[in-house]
Amino acid sequence: MQYNPGWNSSSVNLLHVRAQGPADTLHYVWSSIGAPAVLLVATDSPGSSLGINWTRLLSPSPAGAVWIDPPGSVVYATAVVFTKVFEHSEAKPPGSLSYPPYDLSAFSWNSIDPTLNLTALTAELSGVPTSDPGGSFSNGSLAFRVTAYEADGRDERLPSLLHTADSSQLEFVLAGVAPRGNSSLFVLEVATVEEAGAARSLRSVRSIDDEYTPTVFEMLSLVAESQNDSSTLSFLQWKATAYGSRSPRREDGIQCRAQGLQEANRTLPRSTIVQAYFGQGVSSTYSVSALNISFGGEEGRVYQEERYLSWSVLLGFGQPPTDTFSPLVISIVAVALGTPLAMLLLGTCLVLLAQRRRYSEYEPIN
């Protein structure tokens, strides 16, 4: 993990996470210059590095300010941009906007440096709107918490997402933000940028196994697929739940829905790290998709009680991790199915034995 590599000021935020393998390198570049975003680049060189021209990056025309050396080592690049947060009134029909959206490119972001933990590989990016006429953020903030991993495993906190060594987890947090209505539903808009030959699709997988995330049986994935060979290039993966507590428990669950992936045929909100790598004409040159993630129960009072919302999503390259049935679940299923079968077999044996004893009491006449 590197914070603002090659730049001594903490007035802006750029976090570089580099994962080196024996034959390749993965780069995650998080930034809050403009709309908060992450650039994901996979290379086939174990020694590839990130290059930054800071003067150009902080100028009005940042195109070409971020690159990977050697340039020919890049095999895949994508970006995820967190553009806006909407607030709806759940008392009104779905899709109706009740309040002006929060444009995340117009936020003032705190320095990552005080939250950077190079041992735990974590960092937090938090901010408030530069203009807040209603005072909703007077006692609150919006944050993105980043966690990188050195090995495969499972996060200890709910929703206990399964991760690999080449993935990162992001936690979106609203804390202390005053809702502008009595029953508000919050929506996070997420945009993705893909090069030619790749397209995003939304997948939903349901399972009877809720051992690690009680009462939640659905896993969602936003995957980038190659149109040439249908291989999966990258992914965002999350459980269909958010939580309304700093120490999440099952009863703190908040309903989470994905609202229709669609092509974003409008100009992508300014995110300097995206323009710096892909160029100024991102929307016209690359494939841009947008997805809304909504948080809120049908009664609309979950957030109002604690004024806290957290949603975790895993980002990575290749296929998203797949949960398998744990030994505990396999044992429970085996007992549930095996016990009736064992009782049936035992009952059959007892009946046959009883019949044999009954007829054995009579001697043959002849």
Side-chain angles (χ1 to χ4, degrees):
M1 256 186 186
Q2 293 177 298
Y3 175 60
N4 288 351
W7 186 253
N8 294 324
S9 173
S10 60
S11 59
V12 294
N13 290 309
L14 188 145
L15 180 67
H16 177 215
V17 180
R18 182 174 180 269
Q20 181 178 331
D24 56 9
T25 306
L26 306 177
H27 299 269
Y28 293 82
V29 186
W30 303 85
S31 173
S32 64
I33 309 173
V38 56
L39 173 67
L40 294 84
V41 183
T43 72
D44 59 7
S45 168
S48 64
S49 60
L50 177 69
I52 303 174
N53 183 326
W54 280 97
T55 302
R56 184 181 298 177
L57 181 65
L58 300 178
S59 73
S61 301
V66 173
W67 67 92
I68 298 293
D69 282 325
S73 64
V74 176
V75 294
Y76 173 68
T78 186
V80 180
V81 187
F82 303 94
T83 55
K84 295 178 181 179
V85 172
F86 300 96
E87 187 176 346
H88 298 260
S89 174
E90 290 192 333
K92 294 187 177 181
S96 62
L97 285 178
S98 301
Y99 313 101
Y102 295 113
D103 185 352
L104 300 187
S105 65
F107 268 48
S108 173
W109 299 98
N110 298 327
S111 172
I112 289 179
D113 196 29
T115 68
L116 187 62
N117 187 326
L118 298 179
T119 303
L121 299 178
T122 58
E124 180 175 319
L125 179 67
S126 63
V128 297
T130 52
S131 175
D132 186 22
S136 295
F137 279 79
S138 58
N139 295 313
S141 65
L142 181 152
F144 294 97
R145 296 172 181 167
V146 179
T147 303
Y149 300 105
E150 292 183 314
D152 297 356
R154 187 181 297 276
D155 195 56
E156 294 181 357
R157 286 163 45 93
L158 289 175
S160 305
L161 293 176
L162 181 67
H163 61 257
T164 62
D166 56 0
S167 61
S168 293
Q169 181 170 294
L170 179 71
E171 185 181 4
F172 167 70
V173 177
L174 277 178
V177 178
R180 291 173 285 184
N182 294 327
S183 55
S184 289
L185 178 147
F186 291 95
V187 180
L188 174 64
E189 183 182 63
V190 181
T192 61
V193 179
E194 292 294 335
E195 296 178 318
R200 289 276 176 176
S201 64
L202 182 64
R203 299 175 182 174
S204 174
V205 177
R206 294 183 179 272
S207 171
I208 63 170
D209 186 358
D210 69 338
E211 177 184 0
Y212 299 106
T213 315
T215 72
V216 180
F217 301 94
E218 184 181 13
M219 177 78 81
L220 295 163
S221 300
L222 181 61
V223 299
E225 298 174 308
S226 172
Q227 296 177 330
N228 296 327
D229 54 10
S230 299
S231 60
T232 302
L233 303 172
S234 65
F235 65 87
L236 280 76
Q237 184 185 60
W238 65 95
K239 281 279 193 175
T241 186
Y243 291 95
S245 170
R246 298 178 186 274
S247 301
R249 301 165 298 172
R250 178 186 60 81
E251 53 268 31
D252 299 320
I254 296 176
Q255 201 168 49
C256 172
R257 294 190 181 99
Q259 301 175 350
L261 177 66
Q262 59 184 353
E263 292 185 7
N265 54 2
R266 52 177 171 72
T267 303
L268 186 72
R270 181 179 177 271
S271 176
T272 300
I273 195 68
V274 175
Q275 278 81 18
Y277 184 83
F278 290 103
Q280 289 296 119
V282 176
S283 299
S284 58
T285 310
Y286 298 91
S287 173
V288 179
S289 301
L291 179 72
N292 286 345
I293 310 295
S294 66
F295 313 100
E298 294 180 358
E299 297 180 356
R301 299 207 175 260
V302 179
Y303 178 79
Q304 279 78 354
E305 293 177 0
E306 297 292 335
R307 291 196 178 180
Y308 189 87
L309 166 68
S310 69
W311 172 68
S312 298
V313 58
L314 193 72
L315 301 91
F317 297 89
Q319 288 281 358
T322 303
D323 262 322
T324 57
F325 287 112
S326 67
L328 175 61
V329 173
I330 293 174
S331 301
I332 293 173
V333 172
V335 170
L337 297 179
T339 301
L341 181 60
M343 293 179 66
L344 179 62
L345 293 174
L346 179 60
T348 302
C349 292
L350 290 175
V351 170
L352 293 175
L353 182 60
Q355 289 180 343
R356 182 178 178 183
R357 286 182 176 179
R358 177 183 175 185
Y359 290 108
S360 64
E361 294 174 359
Y362 297 90
E363 294 295 333
I365 296 176
N366 295 324

mmCIF file of all heavy atoms in Angstrom, residues 77-102:
data_model
loop_
_atom_site.group_PDB
_atom_site.id
_atom_site.type_symbol
_atom_site.label_atom_id
_atom_site.label_comp_id
_atom_site.label_asym_id
_atom_site.label_seq_id
_atom_site.Cartn_x
_atom_site.Cartn_y
_atom_site.Cartn_z
ATOM 1 N N ALA A 77 -7.738 -3.572 -18.038
ATOM 2 C CA ALA A 77 -7.921 -2.414 -17.171
ATOM 3 C C ALA A 77 -9.402 -2.061 -17.126
ATOM 4 O O ALA A 77 -10.109 -2.144 -18.137
ATOM 5 C CB ALA A 77 -7.102 -1.224 -17.674
ATOM 6 N N THR A 78 -9.859 -1.664 -15.958
ATOM 7 C CA THR A 78 -11.243 -1.247 -15.767
ATOM 8 C C THR A 78 -11.285 -0.227 -14.642
ATOM 9 O O THR A 78 -10.285 -0.018 -13.943
ATOM 10 C CB THR A 78 -12.158 -2.448 -15.442
ATOM 11 O OG1 THR A 78 -13.522 -2.027 -15.388
ATOM 12 C CG2 THR A 78 -11.786 -3.064 -14.104
ATOM 13 N N ALA A 79 -12.431 0.411 -14.461
ATOM 14 C CA ALA A 79 -12.580 1.386 -13.380
ATOM 15 C C ALA A 79 -13.998 1.326 -12.838
ATOM 16 O O ALA A 79 -14.945 1.022 -13.568
ATOM 17 C CB ALA A 79 -12.270 2.797 -13.873
ATOM 18 N N VAL A 80 -14.122 1.609 -11.550
ATOM 19 C CA VAL A 80 -15.414 1.692 -10.885
ATOM 20 C C VAL A 80 -15.497 3.071 -10.241
ATOM 21 O O VAL A 80 -14.597 3.469 -9.496
ATOM 22 C CB VAL A 80 -15.573 0.599 -9.812
ATOM 23 C CG1 VAL A 80 -16.929 0.711 -9.131
ATOM 24 C CG2 VAL A 80 -15.394 -0.782 -10.422
ATOM 25 N N VAL A 81 -16.580 3.796 -10.546
ATOM 26 C CA VAL A 81 -16.751 5.166 -10.061
ATOM 27 C C VAL A 81 -18.022 5.238 -9.217
ATOM 28 O O VAL A 81 -19.077 4.747 -9.625
ATOM 29 C CB VAL A 81 -16.848 6.164 -11.229
ATOM 30 C CG1 VAL A 81 -16.851 7.599 -10.699
ATOM 31 C CG2 VAL A 81 -15.701 5.968 -12.222
ATOM 32 N N PHE A 82 -17.917 5.842 -8.052
ATOM 33 C CA PHE A 82 -19.069 6.038 -7.169
ATOM 34 C C PHE A 82 -19.526 7.480 -7.358
ATOM 35 O O PHE A 82 -18.856 8.413 -6.912
ATOM 36 C CB PHE A 82 -18.687 5.730 -5.725
ATOM 37 C CG PHE A 82 -18.143 4.336 -5.569
ATOM 38 C CD1 PHE A 82 -16.777 4.089 -5.616
ATOM 39 C CD2 PHE A 82 -19.000 3.254 -5.427
ATOM 40 C CE1 PHE A 82 -16.270 2.813 -5.505
ATOM 41 C CE2 PHE A 82 -18.504 1.963 -5.313
ATOM 42 C CZ PHE A 82 -17.133 1.736 -5.359
ATOM 43 N N THR A 83 -20.636 7.654 -8.057
ATOM 44 C CA THR A 83 -20.987 8.965 -8.597
ATOM 45 C C THR A 83 -21.930 9.778 -7.717
ATOM 46 O O THR A 83 -21.690 10.951 -7.462
ATOM 47 C CB THR A 83 -21.613 8.800 -9.988
ATOM 48 O OG1 THR A 83 -22.720 7.895 -9.899
ATOM 49 C CG2 THR A 83 -20.591 8.226 -10.963
ATOM 50 N N LYS A 84 -23.037 9.167 -7.261
ATOM 51 C CA LYS A 84 -24.035 9.934 -6.519
ATOM 52 C C LYS A 84 -24.698 9.081 -5.449
ATOM 53 O O LYS A 84 -24.708 7.854 -5.533
ATOM 54 C CB LYS A 84 -25.117 10.481 -7.463
ATOM 55 C CG LYS A 84 -24.620 11.505 -8.473
ATOM 56 C CD LYS A 84 -25.750 11.947 -9.398
ATOM 57 C CE LYS A 84 -25.243 12.955 -10.420
ATOM 58 N NZ LYS A 84 -26.318 13.391 -11.357
ATOM 59 N N VAL A 85 -25.289 9.756 -4.466
ATOM 60 C CA VAL A 85 -26.166 9.120 -3.486
ATOM 61 C C VAL A 85 -27.514 9.821 -3.569
ATOM 62 O O VAL A 85 -27.604 11.042 -3.405
ATOM 63 C CB VAL A 85 -25.598 9.214 -2.056
ATOM 64 C CG1 VAL A 85 -26.622 8.709 -1.046
ATOM 65 C CG2 VAL A 85 -24.317 8.393 -1.937
ATOM 66 N N PHE A 86 -28.550 9.035 -3.863
ATOM 67 C CA PHE A 86 -29.910 9.568 -3.933
ATOM 68 C C PHE A 86 -30.643 9.276 -2.629
ATOM 69 O O PHE A 86 -30.331 8.315 -1.928
ATOM 70 C CB PHE A 86 -30.680 8.929 -5.094
ATOM 71 C CG PHE A 86 -30.061 9.169 -6.448
ATOM 72 C CD1 PHE A 86 -29.211 8.235 -7.025
ATOM 73 C CD2 PHE A 86 -30.332 10.337 -7.146
ATOM 74 C CE1 PHE A 86 -28.647 8.448 -8.265
ATOM 75 C CE2 PHE A 86 -29.768 10.563 -8.393
ATOM 76 C CZ PHE A 86 -28.927 9.632 -8.958
ATOM 77 N N GLU A 87 -31.628 10.100 -2.344
ATOM 78 C CA GLU A 87 -32.487 9.855 -1.189
ATOM 79 C C GLU A 87 -33.939 9.921 -1.644
ATOM 80 O O GLU A 87 -34.394 10.946 -2.153
ATOM 81 C CB GLU A 87 -32.230 10.878 -0.081
ATOM 82 C CG GLU A 87 -32.984 10.571 1.203
ATOM 83 C CD GLU A 87 -32.649 11.551 2.328
ATOM 84 O OE1 GLU A 87 -31.647 12.290 2.204
ATOM 85 O OE2 GLU A 87 -33.396 11.573 3.328
ATOM 86 N N HIS A 88 -34.647 8.812 -1.508
ATOM 87 C CA HIS A 88 -36.048 8.716 -1.895
ATOM 88 C C HIS A 88 -36.920 8.690 -0.647
ATOM 89 O O HIS A 88 -36.476 8.307 0.434
ATOM 90 C CB HIS A 88 -36.324 7.417 -2.677
ATOM 91 C CG HIS A 88 -35.565 7.310 -3.954
ATOM 92 N ND1 HIS A 88 -36.114 7.593 -5.172
ATOM 93 C CD2 HIS A 88 -34.290 6.933 -4.208
ATOM 94 C CE1 HIS A 88 -35.220 7.396 -6.122
ATOM 95 N NE2 HIS A 88 -34.110 7.008 -5.561
ATOM 96 N N SER A 89 -38.168 9.054 -0.824
ATOM 97 C CA SER A 89 -39.160 8.845 0.217
ATOM 98 C C SER A 89 -39.891 7.557 -0.087
ATOM 99 O O SER A 89 -40.466 7.396 -1.162
ATOM 100 C CB SER A 89 -40.158 10.006 0.266
ATOM 101 O OG SER A 89 -41.199 9.729 1.175
ATOM 102 N N GLU A 90 -39.851 6.602 0.850
ATOM 103 C CA GLU A 90 -40.478 5.298 0.604
ATOM 104 C C GLU A 90 -41.995 5.377 0.589
ATOM 105 O O GLU A 90 -42.667 4.450 0.180
ATOM 106 C CB GLU A 90 -40.013 4.291 1.650
ATOM 107 C CG GLU A 90 -38.563 3.910 1.489
ATOM 108 C CD GLU A 90 -38.204 2.705 2.337
ATOM 109 O OE1 GLU A 90 -38.854 2.487 3.362
ATOM 110 O OE2 GLU A 90 -37.265 1.997 1.963
ATOM 111 N N ALA A 91 -42.542 6.492 1.032
ATOM 112 C CA ALA A 91 -43.994 6.631 1.010
ATOM 113 C C ALA A 91 -44.511 6.939 -0.390
ATOM 114 O O ALA A 91 -45.694 6.835 -0.658
ATOM 115 C CB ALA A 91 -44.420 7.759 1.958
ATOM 116 N N LYS A 92 -43.569 7.305 -1.289
ATOM 117 C CA LYS A 92 -43.958 7.645 -2.657
ATOM 118 C C LYS A 92 -43.677 6.462 -3.585
ATOM 119 O O LYS A 92 -42.966 5.531 -3.230
ATOM 120 C CB LYS A 92 -43.200 8.883 -3.121
ATOM 121 C CG LYS A 92 -43.597 10.138 -2.342
ATOM 122 C CD LYS A 92 -42.960 11.375 -2.937
ATOM 123 C CE LYS A 92 -43.424 12.627 -2.196
ATOM 124 N NZ LYS A 92 -42.840 13.855 -2.778
ATOM 125 N N PRO A 93 -44.222 6.475 -4.803
ATOM 126 C CA PRO A 93 -43.993 5.363 -5.735
ATOM 127 C C PRO A 93 -42.512 5.162 -6.009
ATOM 128 O O PRO A 93 -41.728 6.118 -5.973
ATOM 129 C CB PRO A 93 -44.742 5.806 -7.005
ATOM 130 C CG PRO A 93 -45.740 6.801 -6.525
ATOM 131 C CD PRO A 93 -45.118 7.489 -5.350
ATOM 132 N N PRO A 94 -42.088 3.906 -6.285
ATOM 133 C CA PRO A 94 -40.685 3.632 -6.579
ATOM 134 C C PRO A 94 -40.200 4.463 -7.762
ATOM 135 O O PRO A 94 -40.912 4.658 -8.743
ATOM 136 C CB PRO A 94 -40.687 2.132 -6.916
ATOM 137 C CG PRO A 94 -41.914 1.601 -6.263
ATOM 138 C CD PRO A 94 -42.917 2.699 -6.297
ATOM 139 N N GLY A 95 -38.970 4.952 -7.639
ATOM 140 C CA GLY A 95 -38.382 5.719 -8.723
ATOM 141 C C GLY A 95 -38.622 7.213 -8.621
ATOM 142 O O GLY A 95 -38.058 7.984 -9.390
ATOM 143 N N SER A 96 -39.468 7.655 -7.703
ATOM 144 C CA SER A 96 -39.731 9.088 -7.568
ATOM 145 C C SER A 96 -38.638 9.717 -6.712
ATOM 146 O O SER A 96 -38.323 9.231 -5.640
ATOM 147 C CB SER A 96 -41.095 9.328 -6.937
ATOM 148 O OG SER A 96 -41.135 8.779 -5.638
ATOM 149 N N LEU A 97 -38.071 10.818 -7.200
ATOM 150 C CA LEU A 97 -37.032 11.512 -6.465
ATOM 151 C C LEU A 97 -37.670 12.518 -5.518
ATOM 152 O O LEU A 97 -38.514 13.320 -5.917
ATOM 153 C CB LEU A 97 -36.091 12.233 -7.424
ATOM 154 C CG LEU A 97 -35.092 11.353 -8.179
ATOM 155 C CD1 LEU A 97 -34.266 12.210 -9.118
ATOM 156 C CD2 LEU A 97 -34.180 10.634 -7.204
ATOM 157 N N SER A 98 -37.274 12.444 -4.261
ATOM 158 C CA SER A 98 -37.845 13.354 -3.271
ATOM 159 C C SER A 98 -36.922 14.528 -2.981
ATOM 160 O O SER A 98 -37.382 15.614 -2.675
ATOM 161 C CB SER A 98 -38.129 12.598 -1.972
ATOM 162 O OG SER A 98 -39.015 11.537 -2.194
ATOM 163 N N TYR A 99 -35.622 14.299 -3.051
ATOM 164 C CA TYR A 99 -34.675 15.311 -2.638
ATOM 165 C C TYR A 99 -33.534 15.389 -3.648
ATOM 166 O O TYR A 99 -33.242 14.417 -4.352
ATOM 167 C CB TYR A 99 -34.118 14.973 -1.245
ATOM 168 C CG TYR A 99 -35.195 14.594 -0.263
ATOM 169 C CD1 TYR A 99 -35.445 13.254 0.047
ATOM 170 C CD2 TYR A 99 -35.983 15.567 0.342
ATOM 171 C CE1 TYR A 99 -36.460 12.900 0.930
ATOM 172 C CE2 TYR A 99 -36.996 15.225 1.231
ATOM 173 C CZ TYR A 99 -37.219 13.891 1.520
ATOM 174 O OH TYR A 99 -38.226 13.538 2.383
ATOM 175 N N PRO A 100 -32.831 16.538 -3.718
ATOM 176 C CA PRO A 100 -31.679 16.647 -4.628
ATOM 177 C C PRO A 100 -30.620 15.610 -4.269
ATOM 178 O O PRO A 100 -30.363 15.365 -3.086
ATOM 179 C CB PRO A 100 -31.176 18.072 -4.380
ATOM 180 C CG PRO A 100 -32.341 18.805 -3.809
ATOM 181 C CD PRO A 100 -33.109 17.799 -3.013
ATOM 182 N N PRO A 101 -29.989 14.956 -5.262
ATOM 183 C CA PRO A 101 -28.972 13.936 -4.966
ATOM 184 C C PRO A 101 -27.696 14.561 -4.416
ATOM 185 O O PRO A 101 -27.409 15.744 -4.628
ATOM 186 C CB PRO A 101 -28.727 13.286 -6.329
ATOM 187 C CG PRO A 101 -29.082 14.350 -7.317
ATOM 188 C CD PRO A 101 -30.206 15.133 -6.708
ATOM 189 N N TYR A 102 -26.942 13.752 -3.707
ATOM 190 C CA TYR A 102 -25.603 14.153 -3.261
ATOM 191 C C TYR A 102 -24.602 13.761 -4.347
ATOM 192 O O TYR A 102 -24.405 12.575 -4.618
ATOM 193 C CB TYR A 102 -25.245 13.460 -1.946
ATOM 194 C CG TYR A 102 -26.123 13.855 -0.775
ATOM 195 C CD1 TYR A 102 -26.992 12.934 -0.194
ATOM 196 C CD2 TYR A 102 -26.070 15.137 -0.241
ATOM 197 C CE1 TYR A 102 -27.794 13.281 0.893
ATOM 198 C CE2 TYR A 102 -26.865 15.498 0.844
ATOM 199 C CZ TYR A 102 -27.728 14.563 1.399
ATOM 200 O OH TYR A 102 -28.512 14.919 2.468
#
